[in-house]
Amino acid sequence: MTTNTRVIEFNYILHDTLGEMIDQSEAGAPLAFLEGSGQIIPGLESVLLTMAKGDKREVHVKAEDAYGDRDETLVANVPLAELPTDQVKVGDMFRGGPEEEDPVMVVTAVQGDHVTLDANHPLAGKDLVFKVEITEIRTATKDELAHGHAHGAGGHHH
Ligand code: ZN
């Protein structure tokens, strides 16, 4: 069986719509993703798939095509006593359960003996602006297809 599924490597700088930088790939260390695997947000992937090696572009992604809208049901006001520590400040993060997949909750307020925890993705509800440059496009390996993610530099390490 042959496949045309590709692995795409790219550099990025991520800003919010006010121009404040949120994140960027490290110099000389582009991110790699397997086409169609859901490794990166859909609004960015759909544009990257149309680009060629060496192309540079600014990509505007609406929240709904990025990390989704905020869900206010994921915000909870809990007694401080339920947290693993009583030394809690705004910005602290707790995992919602013992599993790796359990959502990370951020402390957004501390009032008396209660704290507000927000399990939304930090970028939920935000429109995003990516400056991207495609550094490499290659055919995915059998292992990458079997695993559903890119390997090697910028990809998944086992
Ligand atoms: Zn793998």
Side-chain angles (χ1 to χ4, degrees), residues 1 3 5-6 34-35 140-149:
M1 195 181 83
T3 170
T5 305
R6 300 171 298 164
L34 178 67
E35 183 177 13
T141 65
K142 258 191 232 157
D143 279 352
E144 288 173 326
L145 291 170
H147 291 190
H149 52 232

Side-chain angles (χ1 to χ4, degrees), residues 16-80:
D16 64 19
T17 52
L18 300 175
E20 185 159 335
M21 192 173 85
I22 296 170
D23 192 18
Q24 64 180 325
S25 52
E26 285 174 45
L31 205 65
F33 74 98
L34 178 67
E35 183 177 13
S37 65
Q39 272 185 275
I40 64 170
I41 56 172
L44 182 59
E45 174 161 7
S46 62
V47 175
L48 293 177
L49 294 183
T50 69
M51 294 171 64
K53 182 176 174 177
D55 283 356
K56 293 181 185 179
R57 211 155 135 180
E58 186 170 294
V59 184
H60 292 246
V61 182
K62 291 276 175 207
E64 65 203 61
D65 297 318
Y67 293 95
D69 291 323
R70 283 184 52 78
D71 179 352
E72 295 311 321
T73 67
L74 297 178
V75 179
N77 194 26
V78 304
L80 190 53

Side-chain angles (χ1 to χ4, degrees), residues 78-89 92-98 103 105-107 113 115 117:
V78 304
L80 190 53
E82 286 185 12
L83 295 178
T85 169
D86 55 8
Q87 301 293 310
V88 174
K89 60 185 186 307
D92 285 354
M93 290 186 270
F94 296 93
R95 194 171 290 287
M105 303 179 299
V106 179
V107 175
D113 59 358
V115 299
L117 294 174

